[in-house]
Amino acid sequence: MKKLSILFLLFPFLIYAQCWEKIAVSTTHTLALKANGTLWAWGNNTMGELGNGTSIASRTPIQIGTESDWQEIATCSRNTVALKNNGTLWSWGENNYGQLGDGTFTNRNAPVQIGTDTDWTSIRGAAGGYHYTALKTNGTLWCWGFNNEGQLGDGTTTNRNVPTQVGTATNWIKTSVGGFATHAIKADGTLWGWGTNSLGQIGDGTLIDRLLPVQIGNGTNWSMVDDGAYYTLAIKADGTLWAWGHNAYGQLGDGTIINKSSPIQVGSDTTWQKAAAGSGHNLALKGNGTLWIWGYNNHGQLGDGTLVSKSIPAQLGTNTNWQDVFAGGFRSGAFNTNIDYFSFGLNAAGQLGDGTTVDRTTPVQIVCTPLANAEFLAAEFILYPNPANTIIHLQSDFSIDGATAVNALGQRITLYGTDGFNVAHLAKGIYLLEINSEGKTYYKKFLKQ
């Protein structure tokens, strides 16, 4: 029987205890952060975009290194950037346009640091694009990577292999990256865009490419923005949802397939909380926890069990506990309030993370397994008493070097003792006893009364 199957049979709540905290999706791979600060990836890996030192793809989550101090993640096509708690920036994967920002055009299959700065605060990438944005603690905005349409906002069309500052403003608070365009919001609530504009995706009422940031209208109440493939979604502080740009698949949500070069309101609702734009499809959340979908649906990325596109928002299911959404390429992801992560849509490279390469037209849960790499040979040990109250004892022919209690979230709690292990300080519940013995790790389930 496989190791994971044994874990499920003996400790099912641990397998399904969700510990994913943040997700970043590209066209063909996925990055995820766990609550313990570890970094995980799955999907395509031809350019080293999974960051595990190989070019071998994975259909299920694999850990990147052993560090537990990761804070933020972003992805583009076949590459990744991540931020650590100490404010340093790291990247890996394809680097043909300098999108890794490390001063080279060399591909990397493991994380390399971008410069030496320690004041980075946020990062954004485009699922199918080749450039990144990042903010520093002083409110400055920086871009690097592909710049054929001026998407870096530095007044040129020159690719940059190191972060390059956009203007001199120090009040940027949010950014969004599309395939060949970029948007950002300032602290005063104004919205700005630059890059390619052939389909009106910048939103300034023209079809003129912009090499420098231009303000979108005169509004001062923009609260979020997300770029899709040649179109943009944004939400205002009053809870209204707006869209502009390419509309061939109804992705602007106004019931038409006519492109728009200026923001148009999507419906009349004033309770929108977050929106995610993909390659012609969208997911959005309302304040009541409902999830709404519209746009292109060629791979089931709308999650409604069909391949039918929609030109106006439609509710996905009846659940009212959704809290975050993601869209990239022809696939989607969503968190609910239990921090359960669900994925659906295109899966040819295993990018959904469910262990298959089968497209999914309805949401499938991607389980977070805190003990994914653990050996489970508990039959070699006898644990007593069980249930336990104060002291637990182990009997085995193997020497025992130490033990740790593992709770349902995968958190480890050190146990001490010479004649048995003291568990009096543990909260009531079910645990795994992690046993260190002769260079190996074993697990035994026990109940703390």
Side-chain angles (χ1 to χ4, degrees):
M1 184 179 293
K2 291 183 178 180
K3 184 186 305 177
L4 190 59
S5 299
I6 297 172
L7 280 168
F8 173 71
L9 290 172
L10 295 180
F11 216 30
F13 81 93
L14 183 59
I15 294 296
Y16 288 98
Q18 290 301 286
C19 49
W20 302 124
E21 188 171 71
K22 296 180 181 178
I23 299 288
V25 299
S26 83
T27 303
T28 59
H29 77 290
T30 302
L31 266 289
L33 278 178
K34 286 188 178 181
N36 62 4
T38 57
L39 184 58
W40 300 71
W42 57 92
N44 190 52
N45 197 25
T46 55
M47 294 296 174
E49 54 264 50
L50 299 190
N52 66 337
T54 78
S55 58
I56 301 171
S58 178
R59 300 175 185 177
T60 56
I62 57 174
Q63 188 171 355
I64 300 173
T66 59
E67 293 90 348
S68 58
D69 58 346
W70 298 102
Q71 176 182 315
E72 198 72 47
I73 47 178
T75 59
C76 279
S77 178
R78 297 182 291 189
N79 49 77
T80 304
V81 173
L83 174 66
K84 287 190 174 183
N85 292 332
N86 62 5
T88 59
L89 209 53
W90 300 74
S91 62
W92 56 95
E94 187 178 43
N95 198 25
N96 53 332
Y97 300 115
Q99 57 266 50
L100 298 191
D102 67 344
T104 77
F105 294 95
T106 303
N107 297 342
R108 311 285 187 177
N109 62 13
V112 294
Q113 188 172 349
I114 299 176
T116 59
D117 291 349
T118 59
D119 57 348
W120 299 104
T121 61
S122 71
I123 46 176
R124 290 294 298 274
Y130 306 94
H131 76 288
Y132 287 92
T133 64
L135 296 177
K136 288 191 172 184
T137 54
N138 61 5
T140 56
L141 171 58
W142 302 71
C143 294
W144 63 94
F146 198 33
N147 197 28
N148 66 323
E149 303 287 349
Q151 56 264 49
L152 300 190
D154 65 351
T156 77
T157 56
T158 303
N159 299 338
R160 305 291 184 181
N161 62 9
V162 294
T164 303
Q165 188 173 349
V166 179
T168 59
T170 59
N171 61 341
W172 299 104
I173 59 171
K174 294 181 180 179
T175 64
S176 174
V177 180
F180 305 96
T182 308
H183 286 84
I185 298 174
K186 289 185 175 181
D188 60 7
T190 57
L191 176 62
W192 301 72
W194 57 95
T196 188
N197 199 24
S198 58
L199 298 171
Q201 57 265 53
I202 290 180
D204 65 347
T206 77
L207 300 180
I208 301 171
D209 293 350
R210 303 294 185 176
L211 304 185
L212 294 168
V214 295
Q215 187 173 348
I216 311 307
N218 56 12
T220 59
N221 63 341
W222 296 101
S223 62
M224 76 141 288
V225 60
D226 198 55
D227 283 70
Y230 305 105
Y231 71 102
T232 308
L233 300 179
I235 295 176
K236 290 186 176 181
D238 61 6
T240 56
L241 176 62
W242 301 75
W244 59 93
H246 192 216
N247 197 27
Y249 308 110
Q251 59 262 52
L252 300 190
D254 66 344
T256 77
I257 53 172
I258 301 171
N259 299 342
K260 307 293 191 304
S261 61
S262 297
I264 59 167
Q265 188 173 348
V266 181
S268 58
D269 205 298
T270 60
T271 64
W272 297 104
Q273 298 289 310
K274 184 176 181 179
S279 294
H281 75 287
N282 308 301
L283 294 85
L285 297 176
K286 289 187 178 182
N288 61 2
T290 56
L291 174 56
W292 297 73
I293 52 171
W294 68 99
Y296 200 27
N297 196 27
N298 60 329
H299 289 281
Q301 57 265 45
L302 297 188
D304 64 351
T306 77
L307 298 178
V308 179
S309 300
K310 302 178 185 299
S311 61
I312 57 173
Q315 187 175 345
L316 179 61
T318 59
N319 290 347
T320 59
N321 65 336
W322 298 105
Q323 72 170 13
D324 208 352
V325 287
F326 312 89
F330 301 108
R331 65 196 184 95
S332 305
F335 275 127
N336 62 23
T337 53
N338 295 327
I339 318 300
D340 299 326
Y341 176 62
F342 295 83
S343 191
F344 41 103
L346 180 65
N347 197 28
Q351 58 264 57
L352 297 188
D354 67 345
T356 78
T357 55
V358 178
D359 292 354
R360 302 293 185 178
T361 61
T362 57
V364 58
Q365 187 175 350
I366 310 304
V367 297
C368 178
T369 56
L371 303 179
N373 298 319
E375 294 185 53
F376 202 100
L377 302 174
E380 304 291 345
F381 295 85
I382 298 174
L383 180 153
Y384 64 94
N386 189 11
N389 186 21
T390 304
I391 301 293
I392 54 176
H393 300 272
L394 286 172
Q395 180 179 325
S396 175
D397 291 334
F398 298 123
S399 63
I400 299 171
D401 303 317
T404 301
V406 184
N407 66 17
L409 295 177
Q411 298 168 332
R412 289 167 166 78
I413 305 162
T414 301
L415 302 180
Y416 300 96
T418 54
D419 182 19
F421 295 96
N422 191 337
V423 296
H425 60 296
L426 300 181
K428 294 180 179 180
I430 301 176
Y431 293 82
L432 286 181
L433 184 67
E434 181 180 87
I435 307 161
N436 300 316
S437 175
E438 301 180 4
K440 293 185 178 181
T441 303
Y442 305 91
Y443 290 88
K444 190 76 175 179
K445 183 175 69 172
F446 72 94
L447 174 64
K448 168 62 169 62
Q449 289 183 325

